[in-house]
Each structure stands twice: as structure tokens, then as C-alpha cells.
């Protein structure tokens, strides 16, 4: 497999990866809409900190300490959306871009001859590289060569100002300007707090300048840079090049004495009344605050350790026993853990394998079915307890001292004791128990494991010595020293350093991808207009583009040169590496065992390469009898052995007592001593002795050699004519046997029925016994195929794992919006299957492959099945010839008859279709047989591949039962590792730790809103995660909302209709008031009888008018409803028109811009042509003159 796939490119790929990390971080999927909006709440951060670092915080503490400063807010429902997550991810990058002495200092600005804006782009990049050369990696230098970070800041600022005010020129930073800017981005809710707006203005001011409240800061590049980074200057960029963990980067390590002194002083110190306004004297150097002090229990104790005391309560770290943390790999040295794992595999194979069937431990003595079930249940329960309990004790003791957090000599002592108990003492103490045994087995088996355990013990003790040496130095000192970091830092710290580089690489790439979408060409000049719409249009275009990602060679190359961690940030769990080691070990054992079995089978045939000549004189023989009846055998002396193939097997008296007694009873005595010696009796399975002498008349007569007792000079006394297996007599062959009286007499005593049966059996066996070369061919081909399968399994796991992770990150395997992704978040305990599945899966795959391949080869060459094979081959050749003809015919007809899905000549296509369907009706049976064979072969090779699903989606589910759930379990392990170790999540974890460490002095709300504005301008497509609160709103409509402006045409129509409705309502209300006045006037003239009739008539008319007014009012209400419905339709029409014509307008703008550029180019060409014409005219004039 190539393990490459088509993935998104550029900013689209970055957006997919951000959605993926949101799906990983979120811990609750009960609310589907809340899950797909990619928001991170206090619950998610709380469980992440506990799982990754063992830090315990309440949700209230998370909201008050972490979310409040990163833009999420302090309310119960507040959370971080993806825009705020990206703003947090940019903190280290912005901090490195904005160097203290280059951008933030007013003195340096005065001494400089040019401002950032005035310096040419090439000179800007050179200045930045000169400032940060010591702290940059090669990837950062390449990034700076492509784009200047300061240019991005300048561009974003000008784009913001242009989008908000219409001009890109710097303007005085006032509250009105801030509100105008955020109103332009439809984010006015962020700046409703007057105090917060004042803090935002203060963040943009130069802290080194003389404070003057009346002066207004100018929102230029430097002010914008200060606003982005003033609250995060406690972040130290040098930690990215240091081999230390994120925990050490945030909290550091102290020597024991200083920790105790500081801890004791802190315990007795009360917090100030107003911790938020408390000021220290650190001057931004990252020193410990009074209300955030590290305690010494973190490095020595087993109890909960308080790592920070904040105004919102203490923050503690739990003891997590990280030496056996296989989910997060929180141990110090991966090498030491792999040695521990390999030691346990050897310990299991040598001492615990008897636990599969406990010796001497039974639950019943009967042979009934119920008794067998009970015994089986007992055996497997014992196996569970045996492996679990011993495994826990083994890993805790032998792995002790490998903790990434603890710094204790006691742990190292426990680790050394574990090595002695589990790797050294079992060879010295012989124990026999019902569940395990340390007694010697004997032979090469004991020697092999003694050597393995000695090697493992020595290497593990070396690791413990390094652990002890590490305690003499601080983690910061070790991580900063290149030599010590390679020896003492441990693989975990070195890998985290590589993941810091991966975070730098990926964030820089995200910035570059976003920046490139704001430019229609490669020109990166000054911004003349807002580019949000252009960026969104380019994002839509790039979303449809793909590129080939990954590959087998690429994965292995990246794994070997370190780019897999340093650039892509893919964490390969130690569980996977241990599984590969188990695969290698089990593959070697499987191949050795299978080779031994094949050697035994081939050894049953007589080896043609060896020579053995056995001869004797029939005159030195006699025919033993019992009660006058011949036994059908001969006993001879002076038998001569010559050659290297005459070795027999020493007889086992216990298992072959009859043969041994028969030999000792009838073997002739030694001619020299006339004594019969039965101390060493050898028997032969397939050796024949040849009679020699005058009696044979030069014709061959052979007798099967049965047993012998050797004397001096390679002579022996033997029994002949008896087959050892089954004790079958009369085994004499050859025409010369009739010339030897002794042999002829023995043969004549053979019963006729026995002779016929023996002849039939010998003839039948010869016909059905395969030849030796057939077995050798099966063995060679099957073992070579088995080795190929073993190598393939070992070589494919890492590329397959890398490919799967990259598919998740790129969205090729959906995550955030895929309902099936939820299944990966359940039953995480299943990932403990992985090592066992990889080991035994490899064993099973090799075994079944050898069996299937050997069976196939044997079927092809076996003399009994060979006629069937010939017939099948003939049929296959015939079918193949017709299929080749059909393929040529279909190719020709396909070009003639079809254009994609449409037929050019329906009549011809119909005739061909009917003919092919009738033909395939008879041919499909062969196809099904071929399909069955291919599926069996593929399934055999995929038994050991739990990294890739063999069954298609939905195929392996029958009645809710998954037939093959192990690939899903393997993916669970990958997702679990990425949820803790993804470079983005690792950087977020460091930001969380710095917030806990420094409290409100790091990451303020004002600074976070400035960075959020930076994200709004540079990556406007991410704003869909802030607008689309409803999960059902299509993404296209959200993107349209981000670019839609006011449409005055439809707004004017709606406004006119509303004014007309209001005028009509006012007229009716006035008329009703007049009628009410007339009623009162008529009621006041009650004494005028003459006006009674008129009054009644007036009242009747008034009532009629009131009724008419009510009807008119109802009509107006109906008109209002119809107008509201029409307004809704107009709004929909507006959205539709905007949706239909937005991209067309943008495209026309782009074409117009290109046309203008083309016009300028044509004008230049015209000027050059006119100049050339002038020159030609001048030249002609000169020639004429």
C-alpha cells in the first residue's frame, strides 16, 4: 500500500485540523449542537489538565483563572471558540515576533533611523533574523525567508483600519475607534465594558514612555504589536529550544532546600485583600508571585501536592504513577520502558506460561462436561489474576525511577530491587508452585533466557544510574546543555522539545497560508483596500483543491530523520513501539518453530545426500523361533556399517519395552566374548541391510534393519526383517532372497493373506505418499511467504499509523461533524488490547499464511491432484483467452458506443449488453470462485493488521455486533495519544499552565481581545464558529453573512412600506377620536327631545362607522401581516441574490483588476513600440542623410 491520499491544502487544511483538535478536546457529546460548534468549556480544560498533568482544578477555578483571561469569560456557560483558541495558539509566535528591544522600546525606536513601515521588506526580514538568530530553528529561518512576521502585523493592522474606517493610515487610538473597529467585525459585544476598553488602550501604550493620560497613542504597527503582546511577555521563547517538558517550562524545578524554604514561607503567608491588584517586583521576568508559589511536595511526596496558591483557591497536582502511564507516555525514558516491556515478555514466556494450565490446581476430578467447563473457567480466571497482579507489581517496581515529575532516590532504589527480584533471582532460586515455576527446563531454552535476562538487567541498571545522575542537576540546566540533554534529559523531554518545534512550524504555516489568501498575486505591497472578501473568496477556492499527502516512503523517511515529530508533530505511542518489538520477537519465534516442523517432516524421507552401506554374510544369521514357529525375522552377527548416514536412535526402554525385550532375547552374542550385551540398543526406521556372499548369486536381497547392539570396529549384532513401527515381520525384499535358504525359509512361513495385504498396502502407499521434493518445495515457498508477511506487517504499521492520523487531521476521515466519531470516545480501556493483538496477530498471520501457501503449492504439485490441476489450468487458459478477446472488444465498443454515461448508438449498445449479460451468466461462477480465493488469501494476510479495517463500513456489523472491532480500537489508541500530544494541544496546555503559574499577570482579557481581532482580520473564515450558533445553519450561508453588506434597495422598499402602514394607522386613530368626541357632544344634549331622533340616527351612523373602522383596522392588520410576510420573502430574496451574485461580483472585480493591470502593460508596450518607431525613423533619417 502507498498510504498516500488526497488531502486539502493551505488554509483549508489548517481549518480542518482545528476542527479535529476541537473534537479531541471536547469531553461531552450529549449536546450535539454544542459539540459541533467546536467550543471548549471549563469541563474540557479541567479533565485535560488532570489527564495530561495530573493537575486538579474545579470548573469554577478554570473559568476564573484560565477562561477569563483567554477571552472565554467567567460565566458558567462561557467557553473558548476556535477563534479564541487560535488567538491563544498565536501567543508564542507573536511574543517572538515582537522582540522587547526592537518593537516595544521607545528608546530603540528613537535611535532607529527607520520605522517598521519605512523599512523595505527584505531589510525587515534581515533585521528580524539578526535579532532572533540564536533562538530560531531551521524551519523558522525558512519561514522568515518566505514572509516577514512584521509584515504580517503591519498588513493585518492596515486591513483592520481599512475595513473599519476606510483608510489604512494610523489613527489615534480612542474608545470610539475601538468601538468602530469591532462594529465593523460585528463584535460590539466584546467592547461594551468601558474599563476593558481603557485597558485595551493602555496595552497599546509604550510602558517605557513617560505616562501622560492626556496623550493619545497612535495606532501604528508598534502600538498594535504592543497591544498584542503586552500581557504575554512572561512567556520565554528560549524554552522552545530546550529539552524540557511543558510542566518544567511553566513551573521550573528547584533544588530541595530552596523548595522547602520557599514552601514553608508560603504556607504561613496570607493572601492580600485584593489579589488582583497585588503587584510584585518581578518586572516581567517571570519570577514567582506571592500567590503562586511551587511547593516541594511535587517532587518528593506521594500525596496531593499544591503547585499554586491563587486568589481563587489552591491548585494541586495528584500523584499519577506516571511510570506506567502508557496513554500519555508521561515517563522519563522511552528506552527504559521498552526494556521493561521486553523483560515482561521474556518473564511471561519463561516463568508464567504454565499459568495457562495451572498445575496441581483442579476444581473437580471427573471427566464430565460440567467438570470440564468448571476447570476451564478456573484456568482462565487464574490466568487473569496471575498476569494482572504480577504484571502490576512488575511494572511498578522495575519501572520505578522513570517518573518524569518525581525526583527521588527512593524510586531508583525500588527500581533496582525490581530488577533483582524479577530478572536475577529467578535464575538462582528454584521454585515449583501450582501457578508458576522457576525450575530449569534444560537445553537451549534455559540458556537463551539467561542471556536475555542478563542483558536486560544490565541495560535497565544503566538507565537507573542515569536517573540517579539526573537528580544532581535541575531539569532546566540539563535541557539547556546539549550534551547532558542527550544523556540525562530523557526521551520524553527531548520529544516535547521536538513537539514545540512542530507547534512553531505548524503555526507559522497557518499564518503564511492565511496571509497568502489576502493577495490576488504574489505581490505583497501596501494594502489599498480591505481584503476580507478576497480572502474568503480565495478560501472557498482553495477548499476545493487537494494534494497528495503522506506515503510509505515519506512516512519512514520522516520517522527516521525526526521530521515526523519536529514538523508534523505525530506522537507514536510507546504502546505501538512495544507492539512492534513484540511483533519482531513473535515473528522470529514463529519462523523458527515452523522451520523446525518442516525440517522434521522432511527428515522422514531418506536423505539422498548421505551414504550408508550395511552388509553382512547370511551364513552368520539364524531364524529365531518360538515353539517351532518362525517369527519372520533374522538375527545376525558381524554386520558391517560404512558411511555417514548409518546413525540410529537409542531405544527408549519405557516406550519400546516390547522391542527392547525382543532384541535382548534373540540378539546373537558377541563372537569375541560370547556374551549378549543389551546396555545400548539402537533401532532404525528406514535402513536396509544387504546380504552378501556366494549364496546370493550376485542378485540383491535386502532386509529391513530393526535393532542393533554395536561391538568394536563398526560391527554389530542385529535383528533383521522386522519393521519397528508396528512390529511388522517378513520385511525381506529383492530377487536374490530366493537363493538364500535361510531367507527363503523365513519368507515361506509368511501367510498368503498377509503377503497379499502387504503388497496392496505397499503399492497404495507408494501411490499416495508425496515425493520428498514436493514437501521441500512447499516448505521453502511457504516459509519465504511467511517471512515476507512478517516483514510486511512490521514495515507497514508505522506508515499506516501516520496515514490514519493525517487523515483525521485533514478531514479525510471526518471527526467533528461525523456521528460515528463519537464511538471512538467510548470504552477507552479497550486500547489495552493493542500490544497483545499486534503480537498474536503477527503469529496467527504467519501461521495461517504458511498453511494456506503450503496447501496451495502442494495441491499444484501433488501427484494425486495433478490431473485436476492440469484440467483447471486448461480451463483457466481457455477463459483467459476469451477474456482478453472480450476486453479488446469492450474497449473498441466502449469508444464507439459510449460517451461517459450516455450511449452514442443505443441499438448497438443494447445488442452488446444482452450478449455480454448472457455470457456472464455462465462465467460468473468462476468469478465467484476466484473472488472467494482472493478474499481468503487477503484475510489470511490481514489477520495481523489491526491498524487497517479489512471489512468495509457497515459490512462487519451483524445484528449490532461488530465482527472486527479491533481496527476501531487501534484508532482509539491513536486518537487518545493525539488528544494529549497534538502540537496545538500541547501549546494550549503550556498556556494553561502559564495562566495557573502567573495568574492575572499573564494573558489578560484586553490582550486576548486584541489577538482575537488579529484572528478576525487574518482568518475571517474562522468566524463561522462564532456566528453559527445553530448547528443546522449551512456553512455557505455563514460565509455569506461574513461578507454581506447592506443592500439599500430592499431596505428602502421595506422602510417605505412601514411608513405607509404607520400613516394609515394614524389616520384611522384620528378618525376614531373625532367620532368619540361627537358621541360625547350628542350625549350632553339629552334634554333636547327634538334632536332625539337625530341623535339616535347619529348613534346608528356612528356605530356603523365604528364597525367600518374595525373592519378597516382588521384589513390594516391583515395588511401588516402580509407586509411582514413580504418583508420576510424580500429578505430571503436578498440573501439569495447576494448568494448568487457575491462571488460573481468578486470575480468581476478580480477580472477588472487584472484588466487594469493588463491595460497598464499594454500602455507600456505601446510606449515602447512608439519609442522603437521613433528610433527607427531617426535611424532611417540618418541613413538617408
Amino acid at each position: 500500500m502507498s498510504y498516500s491520499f488526497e488531502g486539502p491544502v493551505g488554509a483549508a487544511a489548517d481549518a480542518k485540523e482545528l476542527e479535529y483538535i476541537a473534537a479531541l478536546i471536547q469531553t461531552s457529546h450529549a449536546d450535539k449542537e454544542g459539540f459541533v460548534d467546536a467550543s471548549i468549556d471549563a469541563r474540557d480544560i479541567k479533565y485535560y489538565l488532570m489527564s495530561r498533568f495530573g493537575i486538579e482544578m474545579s470548573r469554577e477555578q478554570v473559568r476564573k483563572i484560565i477562561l477569563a483571561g483567554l477571552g472565554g469569560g467567567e460565566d458558567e456557560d462561557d467557553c473558548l471558540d476556535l477563534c479564541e483558541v487560535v488567538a491563544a495558539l498565536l501567543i508564542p509566535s507573536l511574543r517572538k515576533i515582537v522582540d522587547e528591544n526592537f518593537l516595544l522600546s521607545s528608546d530603540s525606536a528613537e535611535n532607529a533611523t527607520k520605522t517598521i513601515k519605512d523599512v523595505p521588506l527584505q531589510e525587515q526580514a534581515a533585521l528580524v533574523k539578526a535579532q532572533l538568530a540564536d533562538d530560531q530553528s531551521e524551519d523558522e529561518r525558512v519561514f522568515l525567508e518566505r514572509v516577514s512576521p512584521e509584515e504580517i502585523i503591519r498588513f493585518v493592522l492596515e486591513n483592520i483600519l481599512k475595513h473599519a474606517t476606510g483608510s489604512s493610515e494610523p489613527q489615534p487610538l480612542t474608545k470610539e475607534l475601538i468601538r468602530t473597529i469591532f462594529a465593523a467585525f460585528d463584535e460590539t459585544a466584546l467592547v461594551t465594558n468601558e474599563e476593558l476598553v481603557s485597558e485595551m488602550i493602555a496595552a497599546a501604550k509604550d510602558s517605557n514612555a513617560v505616562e501622560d493620560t492626556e496623550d493619545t497613542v497612535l495606532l501604528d504597527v508598534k502600538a498594535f504589536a504592543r497591544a498584542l503582546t503586552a500581557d504575554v511577555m512572561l512567556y520565554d521563547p528560549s524554552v522552545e529550544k530546550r529539552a524540557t517538558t511543558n510542566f518544567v517550562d511553566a513551573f521550573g524545578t528547584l533544588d530541595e532546600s530552596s523548595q522547602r524554604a520557599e514552601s514553608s514561607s508560603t504556607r504561613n503567608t496570607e493572601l492580600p485583600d485584593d489579589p488582583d491588584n497585588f503587584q510584585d517586583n518581578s518586572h516581567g521576568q517571570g519570577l514567582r508571585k506571592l500567590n503562586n508559589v511551587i511547593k516541594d511536595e511535587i517532587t518528593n511526596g506521594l500525596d496531593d501536592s499544591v503547585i499554586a496558591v491563587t486568589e481563587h483557591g489552591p491548585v494541586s497536582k495528584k500523584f499519577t504513577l506516571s511510570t506506567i502511564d502508557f496513554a500519555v507516555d508521561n515517563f522519563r525514558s522511552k528506552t527504559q520502558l521498552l526494556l521493561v516491556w521486553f523483560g515482561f515478555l521474556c518473564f511471561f514466556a519463561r516463568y508464567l506460561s504454565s499459568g495457562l494450565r495451572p498445575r496441581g490446581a483442579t476444581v473437580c476430578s471427573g471427566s464430565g462436561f460440567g467438570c470440564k467447563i468448571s476447570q476451564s473457567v478456573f484456568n482462565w480466571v487464574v490466568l487473569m489474576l496471575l498476569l494482572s497482579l504480577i504484571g502490576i507489581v512488575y511494572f511498578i517496581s522495575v519501572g520505578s525511577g522513570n517518573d518524569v515529575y518525581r525526583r527521588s532516590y527512593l524510586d531508583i532504589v525500588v527500581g533496582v530491587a525490581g530488577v533483582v527480584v524479577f530478572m536475577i533471582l529467578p535464575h538462582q532460586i528454584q521454585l515449583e508452585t501450582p501457578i508458576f515455576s522457576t525450575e530449569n527446563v534444560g537445553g537451549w531454552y534455559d540458556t537463551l533466557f539467561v542471556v536475555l535476562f542478563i542483558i536486560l538487567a544490565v541495560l535497565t541498571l544503566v538507565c537507573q544510574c542515569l536517573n540517579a545522575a539526573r537528580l544532581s542537576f535541575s531539569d532546566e540546566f540539563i535541557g539547556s546543555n546539549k550534551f547532558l540533554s542527550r544523556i540525562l534529559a530523557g526521551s520524553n523531554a527531548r520529544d516535547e522539545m521536538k513537539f514545540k518545534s512542530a507547534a512553531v512550524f505548524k503555526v507559522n504555516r497557518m499564518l503564511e497560508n492565511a496571509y497568502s489568501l489576502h493577495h490576488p498575486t504574489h505581490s505583497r505591497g501596501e494594502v489599498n483596500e480591505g481584503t476580507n472578501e478576497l480572502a474568503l473568496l480565495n478560501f472557498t477556492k482553495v477548499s476545493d483543491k487537494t494534494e497528495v499527502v503522506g506515503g510509505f516512503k515519506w512516512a519512514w523517511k520522516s520517522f527516521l530523520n525526526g521530521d515526523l515529530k519536529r514538523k508534523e508533530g505525530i506522537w507514536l505511542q510507546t504502546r505501538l513501539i512495544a507492539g512492534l518489538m513484540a511483533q519482531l520477537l513473535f515473528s522470529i519465534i514463529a519462523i523458527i518453530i515452523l522451520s523446525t516442523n518442516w525440517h522434521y517432516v522432511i527428515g522422514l524421507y531418506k536423505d539422498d545426500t548421505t551414504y550408508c552401506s550395511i552388509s553382512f554374510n547370511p551364513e552368520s544369521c539364524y531364524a529365531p523361533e518360538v515353539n517351532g514357529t518362525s517369527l519372520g525375522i533374522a538375527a545376525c552377527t558381524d554386520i558391517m556399517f560404512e558411511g555417514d548416514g548409518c546413525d540410529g536412535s537409542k531405544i527408549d526402554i519405557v516406550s519400546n519395552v516390547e522391542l527392547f525385550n525382543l532384541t535382548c532375547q534373540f540378539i546373537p552374542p558377541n563372537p569375541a566374548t560370547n556374551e549378549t550385551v543389551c546396555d545400548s540398543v539402537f533401532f532404525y526406521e528406514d535402513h536396509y541391510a544387504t546380504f552378501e556372499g556366494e549364496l546370493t548369486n550376485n542378485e540383491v536381497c535386502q532386509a529391513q534393519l530393526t535393532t542393533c547392539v554395536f561391538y568394536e570396529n563398526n560391527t554389530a549384532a542385529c535383528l533383521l526383517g522386522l519393521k519397528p513401527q508396528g512390529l511388522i515381520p517378513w520385511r525381506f525384499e529383492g530377487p536374490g532372497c530366493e537363493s538364500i535358504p535361510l531367507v527363503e525359509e523365513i519368507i515361506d512361513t509368511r501367510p498368503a493373506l498377509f503377503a497379499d495385504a502387504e503388497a496392496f498396502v505397499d503399492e497404495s502407499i507408494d501411490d499416495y505418499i508425496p515425493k520428498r521434493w514436493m514437501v521441500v518445495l512447499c516448505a521453502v515457498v511457504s516459509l519465504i511467504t511467511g517471512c515476507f508477511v512478517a516483514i510486511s506487517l512490521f514495515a507497514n504499521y508505522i506508515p499506516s499509523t501516520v496515514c490514519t492520523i493525517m487523515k483525521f487531521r485533514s478531514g479525510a476521515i471526518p471527526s467533528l461533524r461525523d456521528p460515528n466519531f463519537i464511538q471512538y470516545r467510548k470504552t477507552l480501556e479497550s486500547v489495552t488490547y493493542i500490544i497483545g493483538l499486534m503480537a498474536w496477530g503477527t503469529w496467527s498471520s504467519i501461521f495461517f499464511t504458511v498453511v494456506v501457501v503450503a496447501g496451495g503449492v502442494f495441491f499444484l504439485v501433488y501427484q494425486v491432484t495433478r490431473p485436476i490441476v492440469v484440467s483447471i489450468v486448461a480451463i483457466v487458459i481457455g477463459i483467459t483467452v476469451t477474456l482478453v478477446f472480450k476486453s479488446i472488444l469492450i474497449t473498441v465498443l466502449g469508444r464507439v458506443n459510449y460517451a461517459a454515461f450516455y450511449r452514442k448508438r443505443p441499438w448497438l449498445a443494447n445488442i452488446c449488453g444482452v450478449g455480454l449479460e448472457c455470457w456472464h451468466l455462465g462465467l460468473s461462477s468462476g468469478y465467484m470462485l476466484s473472488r472467494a480465493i482472493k478474499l481468503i488469501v487477503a484475510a489470511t494476510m490481514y489477520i495481523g493488521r489491526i491498524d487497517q479495517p479489512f471489512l468495509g463500513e457497515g459490512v462487519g456489523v451483524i445484528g449490532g455486533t461488530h465482527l472486527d472491532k479491533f481496527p476501531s480500537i487501534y484508532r482509539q489508541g491513536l486518537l487518545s495519544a493525539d488528544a494529549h500530544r497534538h502540537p496545538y494541544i500541547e501549546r494550549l496546555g503550556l498556556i494553561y499552565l502559564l495562566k495557573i503559574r502567573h495568574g492575572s499577570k499573564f494573558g489578560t482579557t484586553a490582550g486576548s481581545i486584541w489577538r482575537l481581532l488579529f484572528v478576525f482580520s487574518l482568518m475571517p473564515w474562522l468566524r463561522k464558529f462564532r456566528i453559527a450558533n445553530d448547528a443546522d445553519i449551512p456553512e455557505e450561508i455563514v460565509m455569506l453573512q461574513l461578507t454581506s453588506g447592506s443592500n439599500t434597495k430592499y431596505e428602502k422598499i421595506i422602510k417605505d412600506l412601514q411608513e405607509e402602514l404607520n400613516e394609515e394607522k394614524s389616520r384611522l386613530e384620528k378618525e376614531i377620536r373625532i367620532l368619540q368626541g361627537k358621541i360625547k357632544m350628542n350625549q350632553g344634549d339629552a334634554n333636547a327631545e327634538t334632536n332625539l331622533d337625530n341623535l339616535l340616527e347619529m348613534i346608528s351612523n356612528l356605530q356603523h362607522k365604528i364597525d367600518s373602522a374595525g373592519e378597516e383596522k382588521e384589513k390594516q392588520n391583515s395588511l401588516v401581516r402580509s407586509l411582514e410576510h413580504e418583508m420576510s420573502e424580500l429578505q430571503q430574496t436578498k440573501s439569495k441574490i447576494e448568494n448568487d451574485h457575491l462571488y460573481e461580483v468578486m470575480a468581476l472585480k478580480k477580472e477588472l483588476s487584472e484588466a487594469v493591470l493588463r491595460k497598464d502593460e499594454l500602455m507600456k508596450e505601446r510606449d515602447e513600440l512608439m519609442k522603437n518607431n521613433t528610433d527607427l525613423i531617426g535611424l532611417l533619417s540618418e541613413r538617408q542623410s
Side-chain angles (χ1 to χ4, degrees), residues 328-375:
V328 186
D329 289 349
N330 255 345
F331 37 80
R332 191 191 69 84
S333 172
K334 183 179 293 185
T335 302
Q336 182 174 346
L337 184 68
L338 291 176
L339 290 173
V340 173
W341 256 115
F342 194 79
F344 183 74
L345 291 174
C346 295
F347 188 82
F348 168 76
R350 175 62 182 86
Y351 303 117
L352 300 182
S353 58
S354 61
L356 296 173
R357 288 180 176 83
R359 295 168 293 178
T362 58
V363 294
C364 63
S365 57
S367 59
F369 180 68
C371 185
K372 291 182 179 180
I373 293 178
S374 301
Q375 187 65 48

Side-chain angles (χ1 to χ4, degrees), residues 434-506:
I435 57 176
F436 71 93
S437 172
T438 62
E439 291 187 348
N440 293 330
V441 179
W444 63 270
Y445 195 74
D446 281 336
T447 305
L448 172 65
F449 281 102
V450 167
V451 173
L452 286 177
F453 278 120
I454 290 176
I455 295 174
L456 291 171
V458 170
L459 294 177
T460 307
L461 291 176
V462 170
C463 292
Q464 294 291 10
C465 292
L466 295 177
N467 292 336
R470 163 178 169 257
L471 301 184
S472 301
F473 308 94
S474 67
D475 288 339
E476 295 96 324
F477 180 78
I478 295 174
S480 301
N481 188 290
K482 292 184 178 180
F483 176 74
L484 291 179
S485 64
R486 294 177 181 177
I487 300 176
L488 301 179
S491 58
N492 189 34
R494 291 193 296 270
D495 288 343
E496 288 202 27
M497 179 183 67
K498 294 178 182 178
F499 268 63
K500 297 171 195 175
S501 300
V504 171
F505 176 80
K506 295 173 81 68

Side-chain angles (χ1 to χ4, degrees), residues 34 51 78 299 320 330 333 377 436 593 603 622 631 644 651 727 762 801 850 1152 1154:
S51 180
D78 284 336
T299 58
T320 59
N330 255 345
S333 172
V377 172
F436 71 93
I593 292 176
Y622 78 99
L631 297 179
D644 56 355
I651 195 169
L727 301 179
D762 290 342
T801 300
V850 169
L1152 180 60
E1154 293 176 351

Side-chain angles (χ1 to χ4, degrees), residues 10 191 212 249 254 303 347 376 387 556 614 687 732 744 884 935 1077 1153:
V191 290
D212 188 354
D249 293 340
L254 297 175
D303 298 330
F347 188 82
S376 176
L387 294 180
W556 271 110
I614 306 174
H687 287 72
F732 298 92
E744 186 178 11
V884 171
L935 288 177
S1153 176

Side-chain angles (χ1 to χ4, degrees), residues 838-881:
M838 291 178 66
W840 291 109
T842 301
W843 177 290
S844 302
S845 189
I846 294 174
F847 175 78
F848 283 110
T849 299
V850 169
V851 171
V852 171
V853 171
V857 174
F858 184 76
F859 182 79
L860 293 176
V861 300
Y862 186 39
Q863 65 267 20
V864 177
T865 59
R866 196 177 302 162
I868 302 175
V869 173
V870 172
S871 301
I872 294 175
V873 169
I875 295 173
V876 170
I877 293 175
I879 294 176
T880 303
V881 172

Side-chain angles (χ1 to χ4, degrees), residues 954-1101:
V955 176
V957 181
I958 299 178
T961 302
H962 292 266
L963 299 181
D964 185 19
K965 64 178 181 179
F966 296 130
S968 297
I969 292 175
Y970 189 80
R971 288 184 176 182
Q972 280 183 300
L974 302 183
L975 294 173
S976 175
D978 232 15
H980 294 89
R981 293 292 191 172
H982 190 286
Y984 288 162
I985 298 177
E986 283 281 85
R987 177 169 280 194
L988 283 176
L990 177 59
I991 300 300
Y992 298 156
L993 295 179
L994 290 173
K995 284 292 294 176
I996 297 172
R997 169 70 181 84
H998 300 291
S1000 59
K1001 299 184 73 67
F1002 180 85
T1004 63
T1005 304
S1008 297
I1009 292 178
W1010 277 115
R1011 288 184 290 273
L1012 196 58
L1013 179 63
F1014 182 90
V1015 175
F1016 289 161
S1017 178
L1018 187 62
M1019 308 173 192
W1021 50 87
L1022 293 181
R1023 293 185 59 211
K1024 66 183 179 181
F1025 292 100
R1026 294 178 65 83
I1027 294 177
N1029 294 326
D1030 187 353
D1032 296 329
I1033 297 179
E1035 188 173 309
E1036 294 79 7
I1037 295 179
V1038 175
M1039 301 298 289
L1040 179 62
Q1041 291 178 1
L1042 294 175
T1043 59
S1044 61
S1046 61
N1047 192 314
T1048 56
K1049 174 181 177 181
Y1050 294 102
E1051 291 182 356
K1052 187 175 184 301
I1053 294 174
I1054 295 171
K1055 185 176 181 181
D1056 292 342
L1057 290 174
Q1058 289 177 340
E1059 291 178 353
E1060 183 179 349
L1061 176 61
N1062 292 331
E1063 291 177 358
E1064 184 66 21
K1065 290 175 64 178
S1066 299
R1067 185 183 64 79
L1068 290 175
E1069 291 175 354
K1070 183 179 180 181
E1071 186 174 350
I1072 289 173
R1073 287 195 298 270
I1074 294 173
L1075 290 175
Q1076 290 175 347
K1078 289 182 178 181
I1079 291 173
K1080 292 179 180 180
M1081 291 174 62
N1082 290 331
Q1083 287 177 348
D1085 198 15
N1087 295 327
E1089 295 181 359
T1090 54
N1091 295 331
L1092 181 60
D1093 294 337
N1094 294 333
L1095 180 60
L1096 293 174
E1097 183 179 359
M1098 186 179 297
I1099 291 173
S1100 177
N1101 293 334

